[in-house]
């Protein structure tokens, strides 16, 4: 599990400077920011908008369009459960319900001990082995309640 | 005894435990003092059989799947005996009906090669057209005029990256060159490699060499800084 550094204006400026000359720099910058801080805070969005000479509204539109970008830092582990069509057809809704009940949180929330963030995602791209999940970037297919419990235990330990 | 085994590392295969199976194979092989060469490939696309591993034999590759970590020892026994009687043995991969009925174009080498290996790419005809093109006398060809250059390009069979990039339109380099000539722009064959890199990225996963503009990979072509393929490693 990657440990994120605390957000600083200076580090954000460095990251922006690293990528701003790339072709289509907005997304590479946002990805790099999220990789460093675990989220893209409002202040950082403003800095990116300034650096790329676009309005804050425009940058806000980009950030909020991609649900992968977070506004607040995640818990120590991030469990993503796919809720797209193929996974729903293979029982993903029940699995999501099960996960929420076990963790006591809704999708998009983090457990009070900050151990686990639960997220809905809409297609991870390996539908043929649905239902799909991802724990901290590790792909998991053919998910069932038993494996889900194991993943939750792993994330909580 | 030495064996060569292929294990996919495509996200779908990883999601159902391909890495764990690869690890178990290595461990079991070293326990048995087997010389194991493992190649990580893309997926053949038979996802209900993933993780599907293949072993090289004189007759061709023999597939086993879906293999769990706990099956590894018995699968290695079956490979050692050459009996192909293991319940997970699928026989010759190329004879599996789902594969046999397919004409694979964009995915022709997917599941067969290590997508990052230039040697694998060359072993399957990669850069053959380029090698041929490089033997031609460029100055003489230039003097000979466009029509002759075009004929030569066609004879080389150099594929154009457009073939890969735009959903397999199937135009060869010669064809692209002919069209560009007609439109009166871009008079040199190699210039067709210069534009539109972006659309290649999605193809890199399964056949990186081919997607790299039909030219030898440059330093940038294997790094792809803008894609986010976290699931791949």
């Amino acid at each position: 599990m990657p440990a994120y550094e605390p957000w600083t204006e200076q580090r954000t400026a460095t990251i922006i400077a690293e990528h701003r000359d790339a072709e289509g720099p907005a997304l590479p910058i946002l990805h790099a920011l999220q990789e460093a801080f675990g989220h893209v805070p409002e202040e950082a969005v403003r800095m990116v908008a300034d650096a790329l000479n676009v309005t804050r509204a425009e940058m806000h539109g980009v950030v909020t369009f991609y649900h992968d970008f977070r506004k607040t830092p995640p818990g120590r582990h991030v469990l993503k459960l796919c809720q797209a069509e193929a996974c729903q057809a293979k029982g993903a809704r029940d699995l999501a319900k099960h996960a929420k009940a076990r963790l006591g949180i809704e999708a998009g929330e983090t457990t009070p001990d900050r151990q686990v963030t639960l997220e809905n995602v809409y297609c991870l791209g390996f539908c043929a082995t649905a239902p799909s999940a991802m724990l901290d970037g590790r792909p998991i297919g053919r998910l069932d309640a038993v494996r889900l419990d194991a993943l939750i235990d792993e994330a909580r330990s | 005894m030495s064996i060569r085994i292929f294990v996919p590392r495509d996200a779908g295969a990883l999601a159902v435990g391909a890495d764990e199976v690869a690890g178990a194979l290595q461990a079991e092989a070293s326990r048995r003092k087997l010389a194991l060469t493992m190649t990580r490939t893309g997926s053949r696309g038979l996802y209900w059989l993933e993780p599907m591993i293949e072993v090289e034999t004189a007759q061709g590759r023999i597939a086993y799947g879906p293999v769990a970590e706990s099956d590894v020892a018995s699968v290695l026994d079956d490979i050692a005996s050459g009996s192909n009687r293991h319940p997970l043995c699928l026989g010759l991969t190329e004879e599996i009906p789902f594969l046999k009925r397919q004409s694979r174009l964009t995915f022709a080498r997917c599941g067969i090669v290590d997508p990052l290996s230039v040697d694998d790419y060359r072993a399957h005809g990669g850069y053959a057209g380029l090698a041929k093109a490089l033997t031609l006398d460029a100055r003489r060809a230039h003097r000979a005029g466009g029509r002759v250059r075009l004929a030569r390009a066609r004879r080389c069979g150099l594929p154009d990256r457009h073939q890969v990039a735009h959903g397999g339109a199937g135009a060869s380099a010669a064809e692209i060159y002919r069209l560009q000539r007609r439109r009166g722009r871009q008079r040199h064959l190699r210039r067709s490699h210069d534009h539109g890199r972006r659309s290649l990225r999605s193809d890199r996963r399964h056949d990186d060499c081919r997607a790299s503009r039909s030219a030898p990979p440059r330093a940038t072509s294997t790094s792809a800084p803008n894609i986010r393929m976290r699931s791949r490693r």
Side-chain angles (χ1 to χ4, degrees):
Chain A
M1 182 63 207
Y4 298 114
E5 52 191 291
W7 185 82
T8 62
E9 197 175 321
Q10 194 185 4
R11 182 83 174 95
T12 302
T14 314
I15 290 172
I16 292 173
E18 270 169 29
H19 297 277
R20 64 175 299 170
D21 294 329
E23 196 188 325
L27 288 179
I29 290 173
L30 293 174
H31 276 296
L33 291 173
Q34 176 140 317
E35 222 151 80
F37 309 121
H39 69 299
V40 185
E42 200 59 51
E43 299 93 310
V45 175
R46 198 185 57 228
M47 289 173 69
V48 177
D50 282 347
L52 302 183
N53 198 24
V54 298
T55 63
R56 275 177 71 187
E58 202 168 330
M59 214 55 227
H60 177 81
V62 174
V63 176
T64 51
F65 181 82
Y66 297 103
H67 292 182
D68 207 39
F69 294 129
R70 282 185 212 97
K71 277 205 180 101
T72 51
R76 282 195 55 218
H77 300 281
V78 178
L79 178 61
K80 298 178 177 186
L81 294 178
C82 181
Q83 299 294 303
E85 291 83 349
C87 289
Q88 279 195 34
K90 298 288 275 179
R93 283 192 177 186
D94 287 340
L95 290 172
K97 220 180 277 171
H98 181 79
K100 286 179 205 165
R102 272 218 51 194
L103 291 168
I105 52 173
E106 286 300 306
E109 294 179 356
T110 302
T111 51
D113 59 4
R114 307 225 36 96
Q115 277 292 97
V116 191
T117 297
L118 184 66
E119 285 181 356
N120 284 340
V121 287
Y122 296 88
C123 201
L124 291 163
F126 37 101
C127 315
T129 53
S132 305
M134 192 170 256
L135 180 62
D136 299 335
R138 189 176 95 218
I140 295 134
R142 292 183 199 139
L143 192 68
D144 55 26
V146 178
R147 292 196 66 198
L148 180 57
D149 280 338
L151 289 177
I152 291 173
D153 291 341
E154 185 189 328
R156 270 180 161 170
S157 65
Chain B
M1 186 182 157
S2 88
I3 48 171
R4 187 166 185 208
I5 291 183
F6 301 86
V7 182
R9 63 167 175 205
D10 148 287
L14 295 182
V16 290
D19 272 349
E20 288 78 0
V21 170
L25 277 166
Q26 297 280 20
E28 187 64 23
S30 68
R31 202 179 63 77
R32 298 180 186 203
K33 302 197 170 34
L34 268 175
L36 170 68
T37 312
M38 190 184 293
T39 304
R40 302 301 297 267
T41 63
S43 171
R44 295 264 197 175
L46 289 72
Y47 281 99
W48 68 99
L49 298 174
E50 291 289 4
M52 185 178 94
I53 70 168
E54 295 174 69
V55 59
E56 197 167 71
T57 73
Q59 292 76 48
R61 291 189 194 175
I62 306 270
Y64 294 83
V67 178
E69 266 180 278
S70 53
D71 300 318
V72 162
S74 60
V75 166
L76 279 178
D77 288 341
D78 196 70
I79 291 171
S81 71
S83 70
N84 303 338
R85 289 218 191 96
H86 195 282
L88 298 178
C89 184
L90 304 160
L92 289 168
T93 315
E94 302 288 341
E95 295 298 317
I96 296 173
F98 180 82
L99 276 178
K100 206 178 177 182
R101 285 199 303 266
Q102 294 182 22
S103 301
R104 288 165 81 98
L105 300 171
T106 311
F107 286 79
R109 283 178 291 270
C110 189
I112 297 174
V113 300
D114 172 354
L116 293 172
S117 162
V118 172
D119 290 339
D120 275 5
Y121 182 61
R122 295 190 83 129
H124 289 263
Y127 304 132
L130 177 65
K132 214 165 173 183
L134 290 174
T135 64
L136 298 180
D137 182 337
R139 211 177 298 161
R140 241 179 67 200
H142 187 77
R143 273 204 304 274
R147 194 172 289 273
V148 176
R149 285 207 297 277
L150 180 56
R152 284 193 175 163
R154 200 173 277 148
R155 274 205 304 277
C156 287
L158 197 63
D160 191 87
R161 45 158 212 87
H162 292 78
Q163 231 173 321
V164 183
H166 302 309
S172 66
E175 192 63 16
I176 296 290
Y177 179 42
R178 187 179 66 79
L179 294 172
Q180 285 172 343
R181 226 180 133 245
R182 191 191 278 171
R183 292 207 303 260
R185 36 180 286 255
Q186 297 207 334
R187 297 190 173 275
H188 300 286
L189 191 59
R190 66 186 167 81
R191 289 200 51 188
S192 71
H193 300 309
D194 292 346
H195 50 90
R197 292 189 297 170
R198 203 152 264 239
S199 51
L200 290 170
R201 293 204 170 113
S202 61
D203 296 295
R204 287 223 173 95
R205 286 197 299 188
H206 57 81
D207 206 345
D208 294 49
C209 299
R210 183 178 166 87
S212 58
R213 290 156 264 171
S214 319
R218 301 175 195 175
T220 54
S221 67
T222 50
S223 61
N226 285 351
I227 29 170
R228 294 285 146 178
M229 291 281 306
R230 290 206 193 110
S231 54
R232 201 174 138 195
R233 304 246 172 247

